[in-house]
Amino acid sequence: MTLSIETPAVLVDLDVARRNVLAFQAYADRHGIRVRPHIKTHKLPQMAELQLDAGAVGITCQKVSEAEAMVEGSARIRDVLITYNILGEEKLTRLERLNTRVTLSVVADNRTVVEGLSAHFARTEKTLTVLVECNTGADRCGVATPAEAARLARLIADAPGLRFGGLMTYPPVGAAAQLESFMREAKRLIEADGLEVPSITSGGTPSMMQAAEAPIATEYRPGTYVYNDRSLVVRGVATWEDCALTVLATVVSVPAENRAIIDAGSKVLTSDLLGLTGYGHVLGRDDIRIDQLSEEHGRLVSDGPIGLAVGEQVRIVPNHACVVTNMFDAVHIFEGGVPKEKWVVVARGRVL
Amino acid sequence: MTLSIETPAVLVDLDVARRNVLAFQAYADRHGIRVRPHIKTHKLPQMAELQLDAGAVGITCQKVSEAEAMVEGSARIRDVLITYNILGEEKLTRLERLNTRVTLSVVADNRTVVEGLSAHFARTEKTLTVLVECNTGADRCGVATPAEAARLARLIADAPGLRFGGLMTYPPVGAAAQLESFMREAKRLIEADGLEVPSITSGGTPSMMQAAEAPIATEYRPGTYVYNDRSLVVRGVATWEDCALTVLATVVSVPAENRAIIDAGSKVLTSDLLGLTGYGHVLGRDDIRIDQLSEEHGRLVSDGPIGLAVGEQVRIVPNHACVVTNMFDAVHIFEGGVPKEKWVVVARGRVL
């Protein structure tokens, strides 16, 4: 089937996305876990509404400008967690404006960030909720120990303009035990200090169906689950049929019997490997490897004849759906197997 | 020095860019090579004008929509080569419009593309110039042999609505000898068939200062040379002082003595490795490796104490400048060492 859509393009199957969202929501409901999807995967207010309809308590964003785009894009988004250390007067002013519009919380993993937030929000009418980010093994951001978490919780609780909102982590895959023991100890120390821990929020699509193995967490922030991608299929977490986002590309050259070139390169698929070999999966063609990308070309190779003709379309499941979303101004929404409309990716490129 | 620019941001030093452009133009002038810069690196009409001022004969674009944005953005861009196999009625209609506005040429490496172009341009007033793309070792697009190049040249010359414009290649680094022998034989065959070869165009920044070693080529299409990047410094083609594009980022967390986290991740630096280890170079800090990116975080590690504080700014030379340009809606232009203005990256995200 050749689609009359100019390529390269991102196609989103809304039926598949809805099924993915409902499946995790059902699991979370069964285990009493609140769901707060990370919108970085879709960057679409409409998709956030679909997640809220399914039962999500709010959304997660990574940057202030991303949160602004989402809140601007849907009046139904009323509860936003920004899982980021926010610094600098411009961003704090934007944050203040957001805080008057929605239920907002942010995170901090160090004293400088807490002091910056407090210096700003001490002068505003509404206090800002701040969670402590904890490192449960991913070695990115986060305080290193439960004792540090408790110290920072106390600092937040005592800081003018701030309210302590709980604990946040982005754990490595399969780290339920570490997560549980870190958070249990941090909670004990914080409560011993006379504070409540309103929320313990964890995340990550690969481990989401094991979220209940860390019962200390009250909330989960899956992102990629709405679309899935090649990395999740290779990990055995999803099947190709669960992949809601695909890239439609056209073969522009077949310069050798075993090689074809498509009009989607790193400006579409990105160079994200996520530990895999190759840059995506051509649906229906297990024999093909996308072994090389330049900015506007993708190279498809096969051990045998490639069997593709110039002008033919292929559909590709990218390694990493979230980053592909960020490369497009708009995506094509399919429902019932047919193109329905185009949605503008309003939160694309929001790095501030 | 802390700049009062919200981070992450792309800074472009116009003095360095101008020096880079002039240096290659001087080399090309000395050797009688026409310069047709590839604008993918900057995607800025203003920067194309700087290149034209230096002596460029026109510009190179990779996609039709990219060419549209550049032509729309500057009345001084009057000569455009799109080095791409163009297919499909929507793109051909856009191409036709461009062809009425500027001196336009495109490439083809197969019969299907030539026939599609001819079917469209046979019905238009102005013929379209088409060059044959040749594979001189990069194994991406391009006809495989000089004999094939000659056959396709003849097909173009005989096709209604088209004019044969010469030969185009994007050779691998250091392939002057292959390029020379391929093009010499192709030119011989084409001329023996009674056709002229108006242009032989080659490209690639890494080998640009050896362009004269393939004297058969009449034109060169450097892209990255305007900005340079870490990949070119590591190859010994440029120095850090020649890097006109840098990413300004802020340290948001120092969660361990040897680790710092910045607010620039793959949405800024991209995952392009270009064969390198790590995701960029922190200026002035040879000891630091950017060993991991997530979408909004970059991880900096050192063997010793990282010596960075939360809130501190760092400047990074990315692995690959061209792809970073594509991640930003606007860049900060510096002249004389101070921020001057913001330029909108009008050709960003133009994948069609």
Side-chain angles (χ1 to χ4, degrees), chain B residues 170-189:
Chain B
Y170 182 70
V173 176
Q178 286 138 268
L179 167 62
E180 182 72 9
S181 69
F182 188 111
M183 291 299 182
R184 194 166 292 280
E185 176 63 4
K187 185 167 185 273
R188 193 187 65 76
L189 291 171

Side-chain angles (χ1 to χ4, degrees), chain A residues 84 91 109 253 271-272 296, chain B residues 7 84 109 253 271-272 296:
Chain A
Y84 213 82
K91 291 190 178 72
D109 76 352
S253 179
S271 296
D272 268 29
E296 303 286 9
Chain B
T7 63
Y84 213 83
D109 76 353
S253 180
S271 297
D272 267 30
E296 303 285 9

Side-chain angles (χ1 to χ4, degrees), chain A residues 11-76:
Chain A
L11 316 184
V12 172
D13 188 317
L14 204 56
D15 302 310
V16 176
R18 193 179 288 114
R19 194 177 72 210
N20 293 339
V21 166
L22 290 172
F24 180 65
Q25 187 69 51
Y27 170 87
D29 289 347
R30 213 151 55 233
H31 294 282
I33 302 167
R34 283 175 301 167
V35 181
R36 182 185 290 279
H38 204 308
I39 60 78
K40 74 189 182 98
T41 306
H42 54 70
K43 305 182 199 296
L44 298 166
Q46 302 94 319
M47 199 65 83
E49 291 182 352
L50 182 153
Q51 292 169 315
L52 293 170
D53 286 342
V57 298
I59 65 166
T60 307
C61 297
Q62 205 66 359
K63 291 283 180 97
V64 180
S65 56
E66 206 173 40
E68 286 173 334
M70 294 302 289
V71 168
E72 200 57 55
S74 167
R76 293 185 44 214

Side-chain angles (χ1 to χ4, degrees), chain A residues 12 20 41-42 44 47 224-228 242-245 321 325:
Chain A
V12 172
N20 293 339
T41 306
H42 54 70
L44 298 166
M47 199 65 83
T224 318
Y225 82 122
V226 57
Y227 287 163
N228 290 309
D242 299 327
C243 293
L245 179 147
T325 284

Side-chain angles (χ1 to χ4, degrees), chain A residues 6-7 40 63 84-85 91 109 139-140 252-253 263 271-272 294-297 299 329 348, chain B residues 6-7 40 63 84-85 91 109 139-140 252-253 263 271-272 294-297 299 329 348:
Chain A
E6 241 194 309
T7 64
K40 74 189 182 98
K63 291 283 180 97
Y84 213 82
N85 282 326
K91 291 190 178 72
D109 76 352
D139 290 346
R140 195 172 65 181
V252 295
S253 179
D263 61 357
S271 296
D272 268 29
S294 49
E295 280 140 271
E296 303 286 9
H297 287 109
R299 186 168 82 171
D329 291 333
R348 181 206 58 75
Chain B
E6 242 193 310
T7 63
K40 73 190 183 97
K63 290 283 179 96
Y84 213 83
N85 283 325
K91 291 190 178 71
D109 76 353
D139 290 346
R140 195 171 67 181
V252 295
S253 180
D263 61 357
S271 297
D272 267 30
S294 50
E295 279 139 272
E296 303 285 9
H297 288 110
R299 187 167 84 170
D329 292 333
R348 182 207 57 75

